[in-house]
DNA sequence: CTCCATGTTTAGAA
DNA sequence: CTTCTAAACATGGA
């Protein structure tokens, strides 16, 4: 479940399980995940080296390897990490597995194979090369408002645009707009200072809350839209049936009664 | 069988 | 140039 909160949870999981253990072997079950590096070259980079620290920018997770270089992980739509102990048949079926020399492994499991694994010398340079905006959790209100300057589109695609800010996807943009009570098609250039402030507060609150509950859908506060965004779902505030609108072919869930600002 | 899915990239239309 | 759409990628669950 890979938007910013899920990636942050994965980052902490990797830190708690997989640091400081030399890599004994690398198994790539789906080479299509590799981004600009061969399985052999990746194995050579990691062999005998432990992961020493992590970094996250938006939906990208990085792990620095002892003696330099960073493993880059992106989880696409269905990717997640799994730490386990060999022998384990689950490891053999994973899209990528890093076996440590203590009999443990860290697997990147991604049934849909839309994720990516790469190697970068410097995460900051990769962020620049890909023109990613600032991480959504490292913004203050002033910078957030600056990102809105000169923008004319709809607020939902704006929140999801990784070149504006990095980390927000389809599910959390719905939640943020619900908490801010803004319509997803509100025009960014028509948002008042108050709207922008509410949107910023909602963004911070939603992302931090999601990380606190480890992005577990069952554990979100009862006031959250997220567990209700499905067919037949009703607004947790006013019980109105939720609507699904489409933006570029992607479903956006909203409460037509609560989300009337702005337009 | 059909519909739908948390992401990114690309091509093309306004 | 910006904004927006649709398709493609590959697979599984309801």
């Amino acid at each position: 479940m890979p938007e910013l909160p899920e990636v942050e949870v994965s980052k902490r999981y990797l830190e708690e399980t997989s640091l400081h253990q030399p890599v004994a072997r690398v198994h790539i079950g789906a080479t299509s995940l590799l981004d600009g590096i061969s399985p052999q070259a990746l194995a050579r980079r990691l062999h005998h080296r432990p992961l020493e620290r992590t970094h996250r920018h938006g939906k990208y997770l990085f792990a620095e390897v002892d003696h330099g270089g960073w493993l880059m992980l992106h989880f696409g739509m269905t990717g997640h990490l799994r730490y386990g102990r060999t022998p384990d048949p689950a490891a053999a079926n994973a899209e990528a597995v890093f076996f440590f020399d203590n009999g443990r492994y860290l697997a990147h499991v991604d049934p849909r194979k839309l994720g990516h694994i790469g190697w970068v010398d410097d995460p900051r340079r990769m962020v620049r090369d890909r023109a990613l905006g600032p991480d959504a959790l490292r913004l203050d209100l002033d910078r957030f408002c600056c990102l809105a300057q000169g923008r004319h589109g709809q607020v939902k695609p704006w929140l999801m645009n990784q070149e504006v800010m990095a980390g927000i996807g389809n599910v959390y943009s719905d939640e943020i707009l619900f908490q801010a009570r803004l319509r997803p098609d509100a025009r960014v250039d028509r948002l008042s200072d108050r709207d922008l402030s509410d949107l910023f507060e909602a963004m911070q609150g939603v992302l931090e809350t999601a990380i606190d509950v480890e992005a577990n859908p069952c554990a979100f506060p009862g006031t959250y839209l997220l567990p209700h965004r499905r067919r037949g779902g009703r607004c947790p505030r006013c019980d109105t049936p939720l609507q699904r609108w489409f933006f570029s072919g992607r479903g956006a869930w909203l409460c037509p009664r609560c989300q009337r600002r702005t337009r």
Side-chain angles (χ1 to χ4, degrees):
Chain A
M1 306 176 165
E3 295 183 37
L4 186 155
E6 287 83 0
V7 179
E8 179 63 27
V9 170
S10 294
K11 174 183 190 281
R12 296 176 186 188
Y13 180 75
L14 190 155
E15 285 169 354
E16 286 160 14
T17 60
S18 302
L19 295 184
H20 317 307
Q21 310 167 51
V23 172
R25 190 165 67 86
V26 176
H27 170 73
I28 304 297
T31 54
S32 64
L33 263 65
L34 293 185
D35 197 359
I37 190 167
S38 69
Q40 296 77 14
L42 183 63
R44 222 177 303 127
R45 296 282 196 181
L46 291 166
H47 196 47
H48 298 319
R49 306 243 163 94
L51 306 175
E52 290 294 350
R53 61 176 171 145
T54 64
H55 177 66
R56 182 192 56 73
H57 190 99
K59 303 171 189 175
Y60 289 87
L61 175 59
F62 304 91
E64 189 180 27
V65 171
D66 185 35
H67 288 79
W70 296 75
L71 178 67
M72 182 274 285
L73 299 172
H74 188 281
F75 298 107
M77 296 249 267
T78 56
H80 61 275
L81 295 178
R82 178 196 169 92
Y83 183 72
R85 166 179 235 150
T86 55
D88 183 350
N93 294 325
E95 280 59 40
V97 194
F98 310 101
F99 293 97
F100 302 109
D101 63 7
N102 60 3
R104 308 295 176 126
Y105 69 84
L106 180 71
H108 178 161
V109 179
D110 186 0
R112 227 168 126 179
K113 300 182 176 70
L114 294 175
H116 295 281
I117 296 173
W119 186 265
V120 299
D121 292 328
D122 177 7
R124 286 171 307 179
R125 199 195 317 164
M126 195 213 80
V127 165
R128 207 170 47 227
D129 291 346
R130 297 199 183 219
L132 295 178
D135 185 83
L137 263 187
R138 296 182 205 117
L139 283 172
D140 57 28
L141 178 58
D142 281 347
R143 294 189 69 199
F144 183 78
C145 292
C146 286
L147 298 177
Q149 290 289 325
R151 293 286 176 166
H152 292 272
Q154 300 167 320
V155 65
K156 179 176 166 78
W158 176 73
L159 283 173
M160 292 173 61
N161 184 342
Q162 303 300 298
E163 297 188 7
V164 171
M165 67 191 101
I168 297 168
N170 200 33
V171 169
Y172 287 103
S173 59
D174 281 357
E175 187 66 58
I176 291 163
L177 291 165
F178 176 72
Q179 296 299 332
R181 303 211 199 171
L182 285 165
R183 305 166 53 116
D185 62 348
R187 296 276 152 180
V188 173
D189 54 308
R190 302 277 304 274
L191 297 178
S192 66
D193 290 348
R194 173 71 194 283
D195 294 330
L196 279 169
S197 169
D198 288 352
L199 189 58
F200 176 74
E201 293 298 323
M203 180 179 81
Q204 299 273 296
V206 166
L207 296 177
E208 284 168 8
T209 298
I211 293 168
D212 283 346
V213 301
E214 298 183 312
N216 175 359
C218 307
F220 280 91
T223 53
Y224 269 49
L225 177 75
L226 207 145
H228 306 278
R229 60 190 304 289
R230 54 185 161 71
R231 284 173 300 282
R234 288 172 172 271
C235 175
R237 283 189 70 250
C238 72
D239 206 41
T240 297
L242 297 178
Q243 290 183 0
R244 188 173 52 158
W245 295 3
F246 286 90
F247 292 78
S248 305
R250 313 209 74 105
W253 293 86
L254 70 145
C255 173
R257 180 148 173 238
C258 295
Q259 294 172 254
R260 290 168 144 166
R261 305 160 55 203
T262 289
R263 237 196 155 197

